Amino acid sequence: MKKGNITIYDIAKEANVSPATVSRVLTGNAKVRPQTMRKIMDVIEKYNFKPNSLARSLLHKQSKTIGFILPDISHPFFSTLFQKSEAYAMELGYTVFLGNTMNNSENESKYLQSLVEKQVDGIIYIGGRINDTDTDKEYAEEIKKVMERIPIVFVNGRMTGVDAHVVRADEESGIDKLVELLINLNHLKIGFLGGLDGISSTDVKKNSFINAMKTRGLSINKDWVIGTGFNIESGEEVATQLLNLNERPTALLCANDLVAIGVIKVLTKFGLKVPEEVSVVGFDDIYLAKHFPPGITTVSQNYDQLGQTAIKVLVDLINEKEAEKEIVVPTSLILRDSCKLLSDS
Amino acid sequence: MKKGNITIYDIAKEANVSPATVSRVLTGNAKVRPQTMRKIMDVIEKYNFKPNSLARSLLHKQSKTIGFILPDISHPFFSTLFQKSEAYAMELGYTVFLGNTMNNSENESKYLQSLVEKQVDGIIYIGGRINDTDTDKEYAEEIKKVMERIPIVFVNGRMTGVDAHVVRADEESGIDKLVELLINLNHLKIGFLGGLDGISSTDVKKNSFINAMKTRGLSINKDWVIGTGFNIESGEEVATQLLNLNERPTALLCANDLVAIGVIKVLTKFGLKVPEEVSVVGFDDIYLAKHFPPGITTVSQNYDQLGQTAIKVLVDLINEKEAEKEIVVPTSLILRDSCKLLSDS
DNA sequence: CTGTTAGCGCCTTCAT
DNA sequence: ATGAAGGCGCTAACAG
């Protein structure tokens, strides 16, 4: 058996045909006499030959490969979204490079470079720099340069000055639904916890919260609007701050489920029962929201639809089809047991 | 500006040099006069040229790409391990394809195929078929075929008849430490919950549990050894079964942290306090173990070391260096608040 | 239906 | 220090 890689030439030789014919059975792009076909297939089988897709890609100028840039694959929101997206991409014949940036812009740049060099056909971008409310000019430039050659779809983000296609969950209406729910449960004193100013998803949610409150004639207490981040620890932090206040809200809307979990942990530790004494709601509907006691009422981002839509738009762009510039995926309220009717006070 | 992709030819033309010289500045493999160098660099910059790594790979016969096959990226164990591994791979100049198989052997085959065709330099394989205690012959064959050309490293798994390099966490001793801990806390009636027979990690843990118990002169009650899976739901399931028993263990060792969480949920719901009335321990030290009340005592798989070691071995194999056939990464006991000294009974 | 040929973009001798 | 040429593995056009 020949050393090194087996190529269609080797197969061709052994089957007494030309490389072109081998290529034809490989691609199915032209008719081959069943006899020769069989002969070739046998040899392919015999050597367990697999065509080199790099060579193929070089020729076709497309690699059937998609790059994913996201900040933290160990965060359930991203991993679930990735999972759904990747499954759909695979159905469409694409394989996926994952760039996990740890929310570090240098890493984002590195991956962007690397994906370009690796000739990915398109890029899905979630989190990181596309979530900064104040877009950094250089970062925007960098993305724009890449976009001149490779389509990029932003998920739940945007950059000023960058005209990318966007697929996003309807966070505004999600928050609105939560506020409405809490108000229907007689809560008037509602706080907003978690997130970070300057990160667009936080700003979107916070604004939506403020609007929802004002629209319904409720006022906002600034002491009850605090955020230091997106994880459980930061939920614990803000809850602790809240406990030091003289006057406290009766319901807490959290920037995401992890924050809600942190908040519930601390409240519970301090003897405040959720939902009996304080109502808490989250956002995202991660796997845990269902399982963390008492079960967190939240808003689902409809991962399946969000991921599939993103991939669909990207693939359309890859194939130079028209695609809507911005697609908003609906969110849905998921009722569980972390909030409760406020009995008269 | 030229249509289509910019190549070193375009750069060469504009800089009045030969493509070879452009290539030289790109790779740094030969000296170029500083003057010409500068000139070329300017043109490269001007067009924001990035070399096509597919072409490069085709030539070099290596793609600087690693494939990852794992069953479920939304499971914190895998996502954390992946994250650590990928970060290290990137340091070494590798980009990573992620194949998320949903524990489906057909998907595993597809990815295996795809990774071969994409000419990955090596593959990290975690979970899925390499965790079946009874190796399926055909699956083993398939892997062996791939291994003839591409090095594969198994993480926490093995297949009979497949002579792959293995990097694994020391699950045996991890379990032993847990059993010892529980016994030191005066527990004699210990159950083992979760996991699935026929999955090697379960078998390893269960055997280690049995050994640890026997060594210390404790007997095992078969009714207390039940498992239906690896997630929270399955923890809930087995805990429910346990509650129906007349005689119940005082301590529960769970196959992993998610199972432990499910178990704690159900026990708590039934009014049994953890750790006051039942002690529970988990395995893996996922992010949640710390946060799920009361804080789960568990065993850490040392993700960083496990991931890095796996990548290191793989890269060594890629570079045709020697590598140990099996490397065992130590596990460490993480003490939290889910178990407690059993007061006299 | 099948073979021949050229070229995708790059790098690496071999000359100069 | 630089240029010319061939080839990595594959496929699409062009012949036949």
Side-chain angles (χ1 to χ4, degrees):
Chain A
M1 177 153 162
K2 182 165 166 290
K3 272 278 186 181
N5 289 329
I6 302 140
T7 73
I8 50 170
Y9 287 92
D10 305 318
I11 306 293
K13 202 174 294 174
E14 179 133 352
N16 289 315
V17 295
S18 76
T21 307
V22 177
S23 172
R24 284 189 258 266
V25 338
L26 249 30
T27 61
N29 282 339
K31 308 216 154 154
V32 177
R33 191 148 41 103
Q35 248 181 20
T36 27
M37 170 103 135
R38 162 155 256 86
K39 202 169 46 176
I40 293 171
M41 298 269 263
D42 284 349
V43 183
I44 289 182
E45 195 107 328
K46 173 175 168 197
Y47 289 110
N48 195 240
F49 168 77
K50 300 268 185 304
N52 181 331
S53 84
L54 296 183
R56 202 177 263 178
S57 301
L58 187 58
L59 198 63
H60 286 151
K61 290 155 192 280
Q62 58 162 318
S63 59
K64 282 294 186 176
T65 281
I66 288 175
F68 241 88
I69 295 185
L70 51 75
D72 182 0
I73 192 64
S74 76
H75 188 303
F77 171 73
F78 296 112
S79 60
T80 308
L81 183 60
F82 174 83
Q83 189 168 69
K84 302 298 188 185
S85 309
E86 192 240 20
Y88 188 60
M90 200 191 179
E91 270 183 44
L92 302 183
Y94 288 86
T95 314
V96 173
F97 278 117
L98 175 50
N100 188 81
T101 66
M102 301 309 296
N103 245 320
N104 173 333
S105 242
E106 265 182 58
N107 284 341
E108 292 181 36
S109 296
K110 269 193 224 164
Y111 275 115
L112 230 26
Q113 293 279 341
S114 166
L115 293 177
V116 172
E117 293 182 3
K118 291 242 151 84
Q119 311 293 119
V120 297
D121 296 335
I123 296 175
I124 300 273
Y125 212 119
I126 319 174
R129 66 174 68 163
I130 70 163
N131 268 339
D132 295 339
T133 304
D134 292 322
T135 296
D136 177 297
K137 279 243 168 119
E138 279 194 39
Y139 293 158
E141 259 337 290
E142 190 180 35
I143 300 236
K144 275 161 81 172
K145 288 240 174 76
V146 173
M147 278 175 56
E148 285 169 15
R149 311 200 214 147
I150 305 178
I152 303 189
V153 170
F154 289 175
V155 175
N156 283 5
R158 75 186 76 100
M159 288 188 102
T160 57
V162 180
D163 188 35
H165 286 248
V166 172
V167 174
R168 62 182 186 83
D170 190 353
E171 296 174 305
E172 294 89 336
S173 104
I175 293 290
D176 196 79
K177 285 173 209 157
L178 289 172
V179 172
E180 189 174 24
L181 170 70
L182 292 174
I183 293 179
N184 284 339
L185 295 174
N186 287 346
H187 291 279
L188 303 172
K189 296 150 80 173
I190 305 178
F192 183 94
L193 299 186
L196 232 33
D197 286 335
I199 302 297
S200 62
S201 77
T202 301
D203 292 346
V204 166
K205 285 175 186 162
K206 202 178 284 184
N207 287 334
S208 176
F209 167 70
I210 293 172
N211 276 338
M213 293 288 280
K214 290 203 171 147
T215 305
R216 292 170 180 84
L218 295 184
S219 66
I220 286 150
N221 183 329
K222 281 189 181 157
D223 291 344
W224 302 342
V225 179
I226 23 180
T228 62
F230 300 92
N231 53 22
I232 297 183
E233 285 80 357
S234 103
E236 297 178 317
E237 214 174 306
V238 291
T240 309
Q241 287 183 40
L242 205 69
L243 285 170
N244 290 325
L245 263 35
N246 289 326
E247 194 187 2
R248 296 199 292 244
T250 62
L252 298 167
L253 200 161
C254 300
N256 70 26
D257 291 334
L258 289 182
V259 170
I261 287 175
V263 168
I264 293 176
K265 267 187 73 177
V266 167
L267 295 181
T268 308
K269 196 187 294 176
F270 274 77
L272 285 173
K273 281 192 183 154
V274 176
E276 288 77 3
E277 297 171 71
V278 188
S279 283
V280 177
V281 297
F283 206 97
D284 286 351
D285 194 26
I286 60 176
Y287 170 64
L288 271 175
K290 170 167 54 187
H291 289 296
F292 198 88
I296 299 171
T297 289
T298 186
V299 163
S300 165
Q301 299 232 18
N302 292 324
Y303 296 94
D304 238 314
Q305 199 183 340
L306 192 59
Q308 285 201 18
T309 307
I311 294 290
K312 200 167 154 28
V313 170
L314 186 62
V315 170
D316 279 350
L317 293 176
I318 290 172
N319 296 327
E320 297 181 324
K321 286 192 206 155
E322 290 291 317
E324 279 186 70
K325 205 75 199 184
E326 176 166 13
I327 296 184
V328 178
V329 173
T331 49
S332 36
L333 193 62
I334 308 287
L335 296 173
R336 299 215 176 84
D337 303 310
S338 63
C339 51
K340 184 175 166 298
L341 190 70
L342 186 68
S343 23
D344 58 290
S345 55
Chain B
M1 179 152 160
K2 182 164 167 287
K3 272 278 188 187
N5 290 329
I6 302 141
T7 73
I8 51 170
Y9 286 91
D10 306 318
I11 305 294
K13 203 174 295 173
E14 180 133 350
N16 289 316
V17 294
S18 76
T21 308
V22 177
S23 173
R24 284 190 257 265
V25 339
L26 249 30
T27 60
N29 282 338
K31 307 215 155 156
V32 177
R33 193 148 40 104
Q35 244 181 24
T36 27
M37 170 105 135
R38 161 153 254 90
K39 203 168 48 176
I40 293 172
M41 299 267 266
D42 283 349
V43 183
I44 289 181
E45 194 107 328
K46 174 176 168 196
Y47 288 109
N48 196 241
F49 168 76
K50 300 267 185 305
N52 182 330
S53 84
L54 296 182
R56 201 176 263 179
S57 302
L58 186 58
L59 200 61
H60 288 344
K61 289 155 192 277
Q62 58 162 317
S63 59
K64 282 292 184 178
T65 280
I66 288 176
F68 241 87
I69 296 185
L70 51 75
D72 182 1
I73 191 65
S74 75
H75 188 303
F77 171 72
F78 295 112
S79 60
T80 307
L81 183 59
F82 174 83
Q83 190 168 68
K84 303 298 188 183
S85 309
E86 192 241 19
Y88 188 60
M90 199 191 181
E91 271 182 44
L92 302 183
Y94 288 86
T95 314
V96 173
F97 277 116
L98 175 49
N100 188 81
T101 65
M102 301 310 296
N103 245 320
N104 172 333
S105 242
E106 266 183 57
N107 285 340
E108 293 181 35
S109 295
K110 270 194 222 163
Y111 276 114
L112 231 25
Q113 293 279 341
S114 167
L115 293 177
V116 172
E117 292 182 4
K118 292 244 150 81
Q119 311 293 119
V120 297
D121 296 333
I123 296 175
I124 300 274
Y125 212 118
I126 319 174
R129 66 175 68 164
I130 70 163
N131 268 339
D132 295 339
T133 304
D134 291 323
T135 297
D136 178 296
K137 279 247 170 116
E138 280 195 38
Y139 293 159
E141 259 336 290
E142 191 180 34
I143 300 237
K144 275 161 80 172
K145 288 240 175 78
V146 173
M147 279 176 55
E148 285 170 15
R149 310 201 214 147
I150 304 178
I152 302 188
V153 170
F154 289 175
V155 175
N156 283 5
R158 74 186 77 100
M159 288 188 101
T160 56
V162 181
D163 188 34
H165 285 248
V166 171
V167 174
R168 63 181 186 83
D170 189 353
E171 297 174 305
E172 294 88 336
S173 103
I175 293 290
D176 195 78
K177 286 174 208 155
L178 288 171
V179 172
E180 188 175 23
L181 170 70
L182 293 174
I183 293 180
N184 283 339
L185 295 174
N186 287 348
H187 292 279
L188 303 172
K189 295 149 81 175
I190 306 178
F192 182 95
L193 299 186
L196 231 34
D197 286 336
I199 302 298
S200 61
S201 76
T202 301
D203 291 346
V204 165
K205 285 174 185 162
K206 203 178 284 184
N207 286 334
S208 176
F209 166 71
I210 293 172
N211 276 337
M213 293 288 280
K214 290 203 172 148
T215 305
R216 293 170 179 83
L218 295 183
S219 66
I220 287 150
N221 183 329
K222 281 190 182 157
D223 290 344
W224 302 343
V225 179
I226 21 181
T228 63
F230 301 92
N231 54 21
I232 297 185
E233 285 81 357
S234 102
E236 297 178 317
E237 215 174 307
V238 290
T240 309
Q241 287 183 41
L242 205 69
L243 286 168
N244 290 326
L245 264 33
N246 290 325
E247 192 187 5
R248 296 200 292 244
T250 62
L252 298 167
L253 199 161
C254 300
N256 69 26
D257 291 334
L258 289 181
V259 170
I261 287 174
V263 167
I264 292 176
K265 266 187 73 176
V266 168
L267 295 181
T268 307
K269 195 187 295 176
F270 274 77
L272 286 173
K273 282 191 182 155
V274 176
E276 289 78 3
E277 296 171 72
V278 187
S279 284
V280 176
V281 296
F283 206 97
D284 285 352
D285 194 26
I286 60 176
Y287 170 64
L288 271 175
K290 169 166 56 187
H291 289 296
F292 198 89
I296 299 170
T297 289
T298 186
V299 163
S300 165
Q301 298 232 19
N302 293 323
Y303 296 94
D304 239 313
Q305 198 183 341
L306 192 59
Q308 285 201 16
T309 308
I311 295 290
K312 199 166 158 24
V313 170
L314 186 61
V315 171
D316 279 349
L317 293 177
I318 290 172
N319 296 326
E320 297 182 324
K321 285 191 207 154
E322 289 292 317
E324 280 186 69
K325 206 74 198 186
E326 176 167 14
I327 296 185
V328 178
V329 173
T331 49
S332 36
L333 192 61
I334 307 288
L335 295 173
R336 299 213 176 84
D337 302 311
S338 63
C339 51
K340 184 177 167 296
L341 189 71
L342 185 70
S343 23
D344 59 288
S345 56

